[in-house]
Amino acid sequence: MGDDLGRRGTRHAVVIGGSLAGLLAARVLSEYAEKVTVVERDRLPEGPDARPGTPQSRHTHVLLDSGQQALEELLPGFLAELDELGAPKVGMPADMVQLQNGQWFRRTTATTSLYTGPREQLEWVVRRRVLADPRIESVGGTEAVGLIGDSSRVRGVLLRERGKDAGTQTRPLEADLVVDASGRGTRAPDWLAAIGAEAPHEETIDTGLAYATRVYRAPEDDTTDALGYNIVPNPDQVYGAVVVPLGGGRHVVTLSGLRGDEPPTDEAGFEEFAKRLPHPVVSEWLARAEPESSVFGFRRTANVRRRYDRPGRRPAGFLATGDALCTFNPIYGQGMAVAALSAVALRRALADPKRTATTRVVQKALFDASRQAWDISAGADKKMPGATGNAMDSRAVEKPVGWYLRRLQQRYGGDPVVGAAFRSVLTLTEPMTALFAPEVARSVLFGPIPWTPPEPPMRREG
């Protein structure tokens, strides 16, 4: 078989990892391969239940507009299914009380929306739809422990059973294509080195941000029409909070701090930590709300990008996607959207009639699908106090752009036009150039700093 991944007739594709990125990659590959096998360490649950391989599922998850659009393209009817399950939808900025860079945002008409329901529910809907395809098989309770092949081509994976009765014996699973969607803990760089190939260069930026999360039932005496609260940290104010609905009257609350000042995971400490926020609105909400879960912490929040797109001694027939390719500080809520956007990019690269879908071409398309999210999360994190990593250097072009963005930040909370452009970029529905559109640039360069509410706006405008 030649290195043309888009050529129909591929016999077998293996996807390592049964989370969103892996499932959606399998969905696309089923259009080209006779058979797709999804290998997952966990035993996949039958319903919308948590599994050990996604410890972060206990924390706040949002599905950005771009992710909603991508999932609907990949799985038509997906959004209707979420609506039928009662998954909450939060319009921005209308439904959110938000403090960012010292400004309360005006709650004007929503220009974008977030799905904020449980991660397990969303993943279950995707899993049920994808695995209904008879060409796609899932193998649970099994981990990939290596690659079969050499530096010129990957020809499969080595598998090992998991569980108390499993031994150390491995078995080969041959494949024409192997996709690593095993997440931020991927071992693929080591596997590539073991077959004589070159591991990718890794770029990292780590603020040391840590967060803790607890589920609450909303206060019965709540009179605001806001669906959530968002206190966004920045270099001058390093504490953050997100409160969003899970459905059924429950809200998930996440508090964040930096290295050495992490939010505690005991109940009293969690609520005491909320008092460090620059305004008591979240702390007062917590005091009136009813806790419904323990407090869970999370510490692994570094941005890590593996540069498989760069030239190197790498084999045909191997791709990386999702967090195995590029993982972001989760506080920006980009991960699920990028997983879906990457699957769309995979489909388009495989179907492109103008270019042969070689491993390198397709890997570059997957890299490009995550580039804007990386520029946002890594670009913001490198400005945070105490940030470390080998990707901290600023480019010369960032200085004039930084001047423009500082002026934009003075206006995005109060100017609906600037705010709409800002949200379209943050939610990955428009490219960065949307921030420089003529009507936005006029406000940023020549307009006055607009009015913003002096206190938390507890009612929508109008």
Side-chain angles (χ1 to χ4, degrees):
M1 174 186 167
D3 188 20
D4 182 357
L5 307 181
R7 183 173 61 82
R8 284 171 173 78
T10 298
R11 295 181 299 279
H12 187 205
V14 169
V15 178
I16 304 170
S19 193
L20 284 178
L23 289 168
L24 295 173
R27 165 72 188 88
V28 172
L29 292 173
S30 70
E31 299 169 6
Y32 294 86
E34 295 173 14
K35 179 182 177 183
V36 181
T37 301
V38 178
V39 177
E40 171 52 49
R41 285 167 51 89
D42 294 335
R43 300 195 183 280
L44 294 171
E46 293 293 325
D49 302 313
R51 55 188 180 85
T54 55
Q56 203 200 330
S57 67
R58 299 186 180 106
H59 301 276
T60 301
H61 280 78
V62 299
L63 180 62
L64 307 178
D65 249 347
S66 56
Q68 296 171 40
Q69 295 165 16
L71 275 161
E72 186 67 21
E73 179 178 335
L74 295 162
L75 301 169
F78 173 81
L79 296 180
E81 280 196 63
L82 276 189
D83 289 338
E84 288 171 12
L85 290 168
K89 199 171 184 178
V90 177
M92 302 287 285
D95 295 332
M96 186 73 77
V97 175
Q98 178 163 326
L99 178 66
Q100 188 166 357
N101 289 317
Q103 293 182 342
W104 293 104
F105 277 43
R106 291 176 57 192
R107 291 179 56 198
T108 51
T109 302
T111 62
T112 188
S113 65
L114 313 172
Y115 272 104
T116 62
R119 161 70 182 255
E120 300 93 337
Q121 181 186 66
L122 189 145
E123 190 174 297
W124 172 64
V125 174
V126 172
R127 184 168 63 242
R128 188 176 58 182
R129 290 281 299 275
V130 169
L131 297 184
D133 187 329
R135 294 167 294 184
I136 302 174
E137 175 191 17
S138 67
V139 179
T142 302
E143 61 183 341
V145 294
L147 298 171
I148 302 168
D150 53 38
S151 60
S152 63
R153 169 165 289 283
V154 165
R155 295 181 173 84
V157 290
L158 289 173
L159 302 182
R160 184 171 60 203
E161 302 295 322
R162 299 185 76 230
K164 62 180 182 179
D165 298 325
T168 58
Q169 191 171 1
T170 63
R171 62 182 174 89
L173 180 62
E174 294 184 356
D176 303 300
L177 173 65
V178 174
V179 178
D180 178 23
S182 59
R184 72 167 58 224
T186 177
R187 299 293 306 278
D190 295 335
W191 300 343
L192 288 167
I195 62 171
E198 187 177 343
H201 171 68
E202 291 190 1
E203 299 173 332
T204 62
I205 296 178
D206 186 6
T207 65
L209 179 135
Y211 53 88
T213 298
R214 194 179 195 190
V215 175
Y216 285 80
R217 185 159 293 278
E220 292 185 4
D221 62 348
D222 213 348
T223 58
T224 179
D225 61 4
L227 298 180
Y229 300 87
N230 189 15
I231 310 295
V232 183
N234 62 53
D236 299 318
Q237 191 292 108
V238 299
Y239 300 109
V242 178
V243 182
V244 291
L246 281 175
R250 298 178 307 139
H251 284 64
V252 59
V253 180
T254 295
L255 305 179
S256 65
L258 296 186
R259 187 185 293 110
D261 198 9
E262 300 92 346
T265 54
D266 63 284
E267 298 180 7
F270 182 81
E271 297 195 6
E272 189 64 26
F273 188 88
K275 296 177 182 177
R276 302 187 192 186
L277 295 165
H279 192 280
V281 63
V282 170
S283 179
E284 291 170 354
W285 187 93
L286 291 175
R288 296 174 7 251
E290 185 69 28
E292 289 207 343
S293 78
S294 302
V295 182
F296 299 97
F298 195 78
R299 299 290 184 267
R300 297 178 63 194
T301 61
N303 304 278
V304 181
R305 182 162 66 170
R306 298 174 179 90
R307 299 303 302 266
Y308 287 103
D309 60 299
R310 289 182 175 172
R313 193 177 65 259
R314 295 201 191 89
F318 175 84
L319 297 171
T321 190
D323 281 359
L325 174 62
C326 190
T327 184
F328 315 97
N329 184 338
I331 199 169
Y332 300 104
Q334 301 164 315
M336 295 196 298
V338 171
L341 291 168
S342 296
V344 170
L346 175 63
R347 173 187 267 176
R348 291 175 182 169
L350 294 176
D352 188 348
K354 297 179 181 178
R355 299 191 72 180
T356 301
T358 63
T359 300
R360 179 169 291 183
V361 164
V362 176
Q363 187 64 77
K364 178 67 163 54
L366 291 168
F367 173 83
D368 289 343
S370 63
R371 185 193 295 269
Q372 182 165 317
W374 172 270
D375 288 345
I376 291 168
S377 61
D381 275 3
K382 70 171 64 171
K383 300 183 180 77
M384 295 298 283
T388 61
N390 64 359
M392 293 286 292
D393 291 343
S394 297
R395 296 169 296 173
V397 72
E398 291 181 5
K399 291 186 177 179
V401 171
W403 174 85
Y404 181 88
L405 292 180
R406 284 190 293 275
R407 290 184 65 87
L408 184 142
Q409 289 171 353
Q410 294 173 329
R411 290 159 175 80
Y412 57 27
D415 184 322
V417 172
V418 176
F422 172 71
R423 284 184 293 277
S424 74
V425 170
L426 281 191
T427 58
L428 312 177
T429 52
E430 295 290 342
M432 289 283 195
T433 52
L435 300 178
F436 302 91
E439 65 273 21
V440 178
R442 274 195 298 272
S443 295
V444 171
L445 296 175
F446 307 116
I449 296 176
W451 175 87
T452 54
E455 292 294 325
M458 306 308 284
R459 311 295 298 180
R460 297 184 191 95
E461 290 190 18

